[in-house]
């Protein structure tokens, strides 16, 4: 589980892992089948949780035989871990890679947060595997829990690096504590997921955005870009 | 589920509900048995989740017959709802009732938050039924979910009332948005639960406390008691 992605440098290596990515000369049938099963597994896990995943349930959903599914994923555990990795890959592609193309400092950090919020708000109807998985596996030691923790930690490290760069760029004050900032930002995401998905409260996306901007304002450095003054992308979204 | 407690005025009515409270002249044997089962159910639900509760599992833990347990809780659903109510009653007794004895305004709000943090940090080894239940039942409509939402909403209303009183007392600025404040404070609690229980990160309690004080500072009104200047109970705890 030391497979630390979420780093542009390692993106080139991903094809080498051969996971759910077709090789350049077109996929084999076996890989296509694996991708189909994984797609179904991801959908199932989002709805009923990683613990609800089983070879049997997947066979039913994909109209395959149990032994057919089993040929691609040797165990329920392997299936769960593959789903976590696939989820992580998509999370990277949707949130991390577009965000690191933004300028260093607050623009990049804001982009990471906004894309994260967007993803969680899309997931209100399906559920976030990271957040639900954390509750499902918080007291179940083993390789599935380890995989989940490793993926969440990788994402948190990426956010912390973005915060550190924002400090370097003097967008945030030099005495900003990146771990504390990350903790508070993550809390906003968890509150958004809870309020939107469980309580069905309206306005949670806006509240998460307002909380984020307030946290940033408390830590603005001398070179902080005035994103709230000129109504940019974020301001338009949060109002 | 309109059973809105968390209000000192209705505390007197609780005995009338006859739930897990012995009547003045000493409990009947049936009530003792019910309390014993409920105690075991609460422990079980904290560990394996509300969904893991079953008449069979409880019979095993309590060394009773299934029909014995069934005589007290007619269905699994009734059992789950009783556990939620019992959890809520204890939550009230541990957090809400002691806190409302504190002076109006920030002292009371701080006490509510600190006791909440303390409870969640004690629950790191067992799990919080409110937080885990929210994930378990976020997409399972029905009376159990309704009971959970009602209990969480009751507690959130109590917090919002405490925030409103702090505004009245001019401890917080008049333009403070109670819903926004509650959202952010709740986020800190969720991040604490996530980091301490799932990630096993050290320092989460201190980070929740630091986040809370930063939120308050951003909203201090003209009469805010200077709790951070003179190292009081909270400052001592958060460092």
């Amino acid at each position: 589980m030391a497979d630390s992605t979420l780093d542009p440098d390692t993106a080139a290596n991903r094809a080498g892992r051969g996971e759910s990515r077709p090789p350049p000369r077109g996929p084999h049938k076996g890989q296509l089948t694996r991708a189909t099963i994984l797609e179904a597994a991801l959908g199932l896990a989002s709805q009923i949780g990683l613990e609800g995943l089983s070879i049997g349930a997947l066979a039913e959903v994909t109209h395959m035989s149990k032994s057919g599914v089993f040929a691609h994923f040797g165990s329920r555990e392997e299936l769960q871990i593959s789903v976590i990795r696939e989820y992580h890959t998509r999370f990277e592609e949707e949130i991390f890679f577009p965000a690191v193309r933004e300028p260093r400092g607050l623009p990049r950090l804001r982009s990471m947060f906004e894309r994260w919020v967007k993803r969680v708000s899309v997931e209100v109807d399906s559920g976030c595997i990271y957040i639900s998985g954390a509750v499902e596996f918080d007291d179940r030691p083993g390789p599935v829990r380890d995989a989940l923790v490793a993926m969440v930690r990788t994402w948190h490290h990426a956010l912390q690096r973005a915060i550190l760069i924002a400090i370097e760029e003097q967008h945030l004050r030099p005495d900003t504590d990146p771990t504390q900032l990350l903790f508070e930002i993550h809390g906003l995401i968890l509150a958004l997921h809870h309020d939107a998905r469980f309580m069905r409260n309206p306005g949670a996306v806006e509240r998460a955005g307002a909380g984020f901007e307030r946290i940033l304002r408390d830590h603005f450095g001398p070179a902080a870009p005035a994103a709230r003054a000129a109504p940019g992308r974020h301001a338009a979204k949060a109002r």
Side-chain angles (χ1 to χ4, degrees), chain A residues 116-188:
Chain A
W116 196 9
V117 162
K118 197 177 155 197
R119 176 154 187 130
V120 170
S121 58
V122 164
E123 283 175 332
V124 158
D125 292 324
S126 60
C128 168
I129 284 182
Y130 283 165
I131 298 176
S132 312
V135 166
E136 280 185 291
F137 285 91
D138 55 10
D139 52 1
R140 297 186 198 193
V144 180
R145 184 198 147 91
D146 292 346
L148 260 176
V149 170
M151 297 298 163
V152 172
R153 217 177 275 287
T154 301
W155 170 234
H156 283 195
H157 282 166
L159 282 164
Q160 269 191 292
R161 209 160 52 228
I163 293 169
L164 281 168
I165 293 173
I167 296 171
E168 271 171 38
E169 298 288 318
Q170 303 195 348
H171 293 174
L172 296 177
R173 282 204 321 265
D175 63 345
T176 301
D177 176 348
T179 315
Q180 178 72 30
L181 213 66
L182 172 63
F183 180 91
E184 295 181 20
I185 291 173
H186 185 217
L188 296 172

Side-chain angles (χ1 to χ4, degrees), chain A residues 43-217:
Chain A
L44 212 56
S46 305
Q47 282 177 344
I48 57 171
L50 282 166
E51 268 304 270
L53 275 188
S54 70
I55 304 274
L58 265 180
E60 214 179 291
V61 172
T62 55
H63 306 292
M64 288 174 70
S65 66
K66 275 195 190 185
S67 58
V69 175
F70 194 75
H72 290 275
F73 302 92
S75 69
R76 185 159 164 272
E77 205 169 84
E78 194 189 318
L79 179 65
Q80 289 171 322
I81 293 176
S82 302
V83 164
I84 293 168
R85 287 197 175 159
E86 179 64 22
Y87 184 82
H88 188 72
T89 302
R90 295 182 184 198
F91 192 94
E92 279 183 327
E93 281 169 5
E94 206 176 305
I95 302 179
F96 180 70
F97 288 112
V100 288
R101 285 196 290 269
E102 298 283 336
R104 291 163 55 86
L106 283 194
R108 188 175 298 174
L109 184 60
R110 274 208 179 88
S111 176
M112 288 167 98
F113 181 77
E114 285 171 15
R115 288 170 186 278
W116 196 9
V117 162
K118 197 177 155 197
R119 176 154 187 130
V120 170
S121 58
V122 164
E123 283 175 332
V124 158
D125 292 324
S126 60
C128 168
I129 284 182
Y130 283 165
I131 298 176
S132 312
V135 166
E136 280 185 291
F137 285 91
D138 55 10
D139 52 1
R140 297 186 198 193
V144 180
R145 184 198 147 91
D146 292 346
L148 260 176
V149 170
M151 297 298 163
V152 172
R153 217 177 275 287
T154 301
W155 170 234
H156 283 195
H157 282 166
L159 282 164
Q160 269 191 292
R161 209 160 52 228
I163 293 169
L164 281 168
I165 293 173
I167 296 171
E168 271 171 38
E169 298 288 318
Q170 303 195 348
H171 293 174
L172 296 177
R173 282 204 321 265
D175 63 345
T176 301
D177 176 348
T179 315
Q180 178 72 30
L181 213 66
L182 172 63
F183 180 91
E184 295 181 20
I185 291 173
H186 185 217
L188 296 172
I189 295 286
L190 292 173
L192 163 63
H193 188 264
H194 182 279
D195 277 22
R197 186 158 157 81
F198 178 61
M199 307 286 281
R200 312 267 183 218
N201 285 346
V205 167
E206 290 73 17
R207 273 190 275 278
F212 180 71
E213 289 300 331
R214 195 185 50 73
I215 293 173
L216 290 190
R217 268 199 308 275

